[in-house]
């Protein structure tokens, strides 16, 4: 009786150790996947704040929350199932899907550049729910492309894991990155309110910090907006180049690789790759924008 009980306890202890090791493995793999996707995460963080520029203060956080929930739905309900199924049964389809997504992201960036050049940039959000719904929908569509890149980069890092391990790891990555990105976005868009609150304090130091935050916010948001537009072009171009490489057309990827090698890699290599990717994104996005602008005229 006692021998059987001790044997059972040994089995339970062995299972507990195995479960703990599995949790550690999942955590380590999720950490590697998250680190690898960090570049696109930075771009996602830069792109999102521009969607709440000009929005009334009381609607900023609710809109960010709606975009964050849309991002979670994108990752867990659309991208994750499709990515796992395609990687399991039709891996060849991933590159063409990403190519289309990269074109769309480049088009979004080119459209925003065109609006700025023509002075047609939106300067605020209407108070009606329809305007807010359109804004959130546009942000979630852009997030879909960036989230696809993030999830596929993460998937590539855990390709050797079992199906269920990949599933758990990608769920952890999706939730952690969404909380991280939109938490930072929430802090950015409420920085001016925090500054205003500090100006009401008795401490002179707090008042100076508050005034500094309030005065810096317009410049910070403008800088983030510019970075966000550049990120759309860069990430869009980068996705297209890598997708074409995976589909068998290696010329653009190899040309950029030679340029990066010529400047001996490092920061200079990253800058070369970024600038060339952004130029390609701007050219392709401009062509798509021109075609889409010509089509309505032809119809009329």
């Amino acid at each position: 009786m006692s021998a059987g009980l001790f044997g059972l306890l040994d089995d339970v202890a062995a299972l507990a150790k195995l479960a703990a090791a599995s949790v550690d493995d999942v955590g380590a793999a999720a950490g590697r996947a998250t680190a690898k996707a960090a570049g696109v995460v930075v771009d996602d963080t830069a792109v999102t704040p521009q969607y709440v520029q000009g929005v009334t203060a009381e609607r900023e956080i609710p809109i960010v929350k709606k975009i964050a929930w849309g991002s979670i739905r994108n990752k867990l309900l659309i991208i994750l199932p499709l990515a796992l199924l395609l990687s399991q049964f039709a891996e060849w389809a991933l590159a063409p899907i990403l190519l289309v997504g990269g074109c769309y992201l480049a088009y979004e960036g080119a459209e925003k550049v065109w609006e700025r050049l023509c002075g047609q940039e939106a300067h605020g959000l209407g108070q009606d729910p329809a305007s807010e719904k359109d804004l959130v929908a546009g942000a979630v569509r852009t997030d879909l492309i960036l989230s696809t890149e993030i999830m596929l980069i993460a998937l590539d890092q855990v390709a050797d894991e079992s199906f269920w391990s990949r599933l758990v790891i990608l769920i952890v990555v999706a939730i952690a990155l969404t909380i991280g990105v939109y938490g930072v976005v929430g802090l950015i868009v409420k920085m001016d309110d925090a500054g205003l609150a500090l100006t009401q304090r008795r401490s002179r130091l707090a008042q100076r910090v508050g005034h500094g935050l309030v005065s810096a916010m317009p410049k910070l948001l403008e800088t983030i907006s510019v970075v966000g537009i550049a990120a759309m072009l860069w990430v869009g171009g980068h996705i297209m180049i890598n997708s074409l490489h995976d589909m068998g057309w290696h010329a653009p990827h190899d040309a950029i690789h030679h340029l990066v090698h010529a400047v001996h890699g490092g920061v200079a290599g990253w800058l070369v790759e970024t600038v060339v990717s952004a130029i390609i994104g701007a050219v392709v996005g401009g062509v798509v924008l021109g075609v889409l602008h010509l089509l309505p005229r032809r119809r009329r």
Side-chain angles (χ1 to χ4, degrees):
M1 179 77 173
S2 60
L5 178 60
F6 282 123
L8 178 61
L9 290 175
D10 284 342
D11 291 341
V12 171
L15 288 172
K17 288 180 181 178
L18 182 61
S22 298
V23 170
D24 288 342
D25 291 342
V26 167
R32 289 195 305 271
T34 301
K36 191 68 175 179
V40 186
V41 171
V42 171
D43 298 331
D44 202 1
T45 308
V47 167
T48 306
Q50 64 185 293
Y51 287 101
V52 293
Q53 277 191 282
V55 174
T56 55
E58 64 272 12
R59 295 306 304 159
E60 287 175 342
I61 293 300
I63 288 174
V64 171
K65 285 182 179 178
K66 288 180 180 180
I67 299 172
W69 278 115
S71 179
I72 283 286
R73 289 194 297 271
N74 283 341
K75 291 181 177 75
L76 297 184
L77 301 183
I78 300 174
I79 301 167
L80 179 58
L82 283 175
L84 286 174
L85 287 172
L86 290 173
S87 65
Q88 196 79 10
F89 303 109
E91 193 172 355
W92 58 267
L94 291 174
I97 291 172
L98 272 176
L99 179 62
V100 173
C103 288
Y104 177 78
L105 200 57
Y107 157 72
E108 283 264 296
E111 186 177 42
K112 292 186 180 299
V113 171
W114 179 253
E115 287 173 353
R116 284 185 169 233
L117 292 175
C118 297
Q120 298 173 351
E121 190 179 8
H123 294 286
L125 175 70
Q127 299 298 317
D128 58 298
S131 297
E132 185 172 309
K133 186 177 179 181
D134 289 342
L135 183 144
V136 171
V140 171
R141 280 195 302 272
T142 300
D143 172 88
L144 179 64
I145 309 303
L146 292 169
S147 291
T148 300
E149 177 77 350
I150 289 169
M151 296 298 285
L152 290 182
I153 289 173
L155 177 62
D156 184 59
Q157 295 303 299
V158 296
D160 296 333
E161 303 285 340
S162 67
F163 178 86
W164 295 110
S165 293
R166 274 182 284 159
L167 176 62
V168 173
I169 291 166
L170 290 176
I171 289 174
V172 171
V173 169
I175 294 173
L177 290 183
T178 303
I179 292 173
V181 167
Y182 290 97
V184 171
V185 170
L187 289 174
I188 290 172
V189 300
K190 298 307 290 182
M191 192 184 296
D192 53 348
D193 292 341
L196 190 60
L198 286 174
T199 61
Q200 310 301 318
R201 298 284 184 89
R202 292 183 178 180
S203 168
R204 287 190 169 226
L205 177 61
Q207 290 177 2
R208 287 179 181 176
V209 172
H211 285 299
L213 288 175
V214 171
S215 61
M217 271 307 294
K219 295 177 182 177
L220 176 62
L221 285 175
E222 177 61 22
T223 301
I224 289 173
S225 178
V226 172
V227 171
I229 293 171
M232 287 182 182
L233 297 173
W234 167 47
V235 177
H238 182 73
I239 292 172
M240 288 186 287
I241 292 164
N242 285 342
S243 299
L244 290 171
H245 179 69
D246 292 340
M247 292 167 65
W249 189 31
H250 307 296
H253 181 274
D254 291 346
I256 293 175
H257 178 74
H258 288 312
L259 287 173
V260 171
H261 183 71
V263 296
H264 307 293
V267 175
W270 179 85
L271 285 173
V272 167
E273 182 181 3
T274 299
V275 170
V276 175
S277 297
I279 292 171
I280 291 173
V283 171
V284 174
V287 170
V288 175
L289 179 67
V291 170
L292 292 179
H293 278 210
L294 287 173
L295 286 177
R297 294 180 183 178
R298 289 182 177 178
R299 285 174 188 164
R300 284 197 295 267

